[in-house]
Amino acid sequence: MKLIDSHCHLDNEKFQEDRDEIIEKIGKELEFAVNIGYDLKSSEESIKLAEKHDFIYAVAGIHPTDISGYNQEMENALEKLARHPKVLAVGEIGLDYHWMTEPKEKQQEVFKRLIEVARRVEKPIVVHTRDAMHDTLEILKKYPDVTGILHCYPGSYESALEVMDNFYFGVGGVVTFKNAKKLVEAIKKIPLEKLLVETDSPYLTPEPYRGKRNEPSYVEYVARKIAEVKNVDYEEVVRVTNQNTKLAYKMIKG
């Protein structure tokens, strides 16, 4: 059974030299990969990749550090992209209080507007949250009909409980880092049926390749770490997280 990379960025410039080879490797080693947009241009590129390859799907969104100049025209353009049949969700969207390229109030306003886009196109959301867990959860709880994924989940088990009915939790290479004790403790308690595996490539490369460019095939190291942490067979992690990814993205019905 092949793994799924639920979150990657193949259109990133770090893949410029060997993108075709990396994509060919995905076709051979993974069931499929989901390429995530972070602004209009990357969302368009994500769709192009998905149109070209059966084993790549797209997600269209505007990252909280890319919302400068956000207006109705941008929103309309994104909504049109989000309606594409190979776009599985609206994302990545959310809050980032680490880089703070826009004020909290602006981020929250745009996050809510993008959630409304997802409601209109009837698709889940992929959420980015950094140093903003409380506000992220408070906003999500206002939309009980919206489902999705908390990508690269940085929170605690207790925080996860607040939205566990509607959301899955993406786990990436960070879980393999020596200083990831908080995340490891959360993963011990969050049910396997609520976890997805991802790379966020080219970022957050897992051990043993930390410091080098990440790629979708390295999702295996994330799955093996989860198996170790939860004391279950690797094959079980593959089976369950694959199922979870398809449920989260509404590719199958639960």
Side-chain angles (χ1 to χ4, degrees), residues 6-12 34-47 49 57-64 66 78 81 87 89-94 114 126-128 151 200 249:
S6 66
H7 191 117
C8 62
H9 300 281
L10 296 166
D11 53 294
N12 188 279
V34 185
N35 200 75
I36 312 289
Y38 55 85
D39 60 12
L40 291 177
K41 185 176 185 297
S42 65
S43 296
E44 289 169 358
E45 291 301 318
S46 189
I47 290 170
L49 286 170
Y57 291 86
V59 168
I62 301 176
H63 191 282
D66 291 280
L78 179 68
L81 293 174
V87 169
V90 173
E92 61 188 276
I93 62 175
L114 291 168
V126 175
V127 179
H128 170 100
H151 140 70
D200 200 25
Y249 282 124

Side-chain angles (χ1 to χ4, degrees), residues 8 15 83 105 131 134-135 165 167 222 225:
C8 62
F15 290 116
R83 292 185 184 278
E105 295 74 20
D131 297 344
H134 176 268
D135 287 354
D165 287 348
F167 283 84
V222 177
K225 183 64 178 182

Side-chain angles (χ1 to χ4, degrees), residues 11-64:
D11 53 294
N12 188 279
E13 61 184 15
K14 292 185 179 180
F15 290 116
Q16 199 64 39
E17 299 298 319
D18 60 349
R19 185 173 293 110
D20 290 345
E21 290 90 333
I22 294 294
I23 289 173
E24 185 179 348
K25 199 172 179 183
I26 293 169
K28 290 178 180 176
E29 298 184 10
L30 301 182
E31 184 173 339
F32 63 83
V34 185
N35 200 75
I36 312 289
Y38 55 85
D39 60 12
L40 291 177
K41 185 176 185 297
S42 65
S43 296
E44 289 169 358
E45 291 301 318
S46 189
I47 290 170
K48 287 178 185 176
L49 286 170
E51 288 176 334
K52 191 174 180 181
H53 304 281
D54 292 342
F55 49 85
I56 295 177
Y57 291 86
V59 168
I62 301 176
H63 191 282

